Amino acid sequence: MRVYETEIASRLMLGTAQYPSPATLAEAFRRSGAGIATVSVRREAGGERAGAAFWDLVRELGVTVLPNTAGCHSVREAVTTAQMARELFDTAWIKLEVIGHADTLQPDPFGLVEAARILTEDGFQVFPYTTEDVVLAERLLQAGCEVLMPWGAPIGTGLGLTNIYGLRTLRAQFPDVPMVVDAGLGLPSQATMAMEMGFDAVLLNTAVAKAGDPAAMAEGFARAVEAGRLAFEADPMEPRDMAAPSTPVIGKAFLS
């Protein structure tokens, strides 16, 4: 997968929150082979500050860090957090979240586009957490985003792909734009479905961190993502309403 002129070996991205221990977090990343780790700037810090131990752990994972603006509810808050992230983690990448609804954690579409424009003009490479809305996607691309991160379902719900029609439409509308299904996945089978639909990657956190065995679940998601991508590239058969025998009837013996 290629985003912002950078090649990423794995199509699975993992969050770093809610794990029962640092050792469990490290083992989950090892078994998943995830190439990108998202880190909340509101919770952690780099250098010699409060989150130094956590930052050391993330560096030891050997993965690309994608800071995010999780928990931001305004453009100003998101932009300020992104600027902090650039200083702390020395990266122009930012996963942009501007939350508009407290219960569903749905993005604020107006604030999201405005923040994306401000950050892009400031040299950031923005990964916007968005819905499957095609018009919103168009506005984000016009604002300078080169990748889109539509949700599968509200963050942390594990409901999977709740609007398959919307996601298929979004994927078809922008076939050349890298897209990552972000949030709401609960099972590896749901990740497989997203990849079979042609999405480029998936990002998840809670489904792994809150599993009884996070490392095993992380590996399960990794295999599911690989299976889904292989199926997409193999050009699967179209579904049909009528049955069709897989064994030909020509040459079959008939009893009189």
Side-chain angles (χ1 to χ4, degrees), residues 95-183:
K95 180 191 170 190
L96 178 61
E97 296 184 25
V98 183
I99 301 302
H101 192 270
D103 292 333
T104 65
L105 301 181
Q106 179 170 325
D108 171 0
F110 310 103
L112 183 63
V113 172
E114 183 181 352
R117 178 186 56 78
I118 293 171
L119 292 172
T120 299
E121 291 176 353
D122 193 25
F124 282 90
Q125 296 175 325
V126 179
F127 294 67
Y129 162 65
T130 180
T131 65
E132 68 279 8
D133 187 281
V134 171
V135 177
L136 176 54
E138 180 68 41
R139 298 293 185 271
L140 289 168
L141 295 174
Q142 292 172 353
C145 299
E146 296 182 14
V147 59
L148 297 172
M149 304 185 77
W151 67 352
I155 295 171
T157 61
L159 293 173
L161 309 181
T162 56
N163 185 0
I164 293 177
Y165 168 78
L167 288 169
R168 288 190 187 279
T169 301
L170 181 67
R171 178 71 281 181
Q173 187 70 28
F174 306 103
D176 299 322
V177 176
M179 291 190 192
V180 181
V181 172
D182 173 19

Side-chain angles (χ1 to χ4, degrees), residues 30 46 61 74 84 98 127 164 178 194 197 205 246:
R30 185 190 69 79
L61 296 176
S74 71
M84 290 171 52
V98 183
F127 294 67
I164 293 177
M197 291 165 59
N205 189 158
S246 56

Side-chain angles (χ1 to χ4, degrees), residues 39-41 44-46 55 58 65 67 84-91:
V39 179
S40 171
V41 182
E44 306 297 347
W55 179 223
V58 172
V65 174
M84 290 171 52
R86 182 163 57 184
E87 292 185 22
L88 292 171
F89 300 108
D90 190 27
T91 179

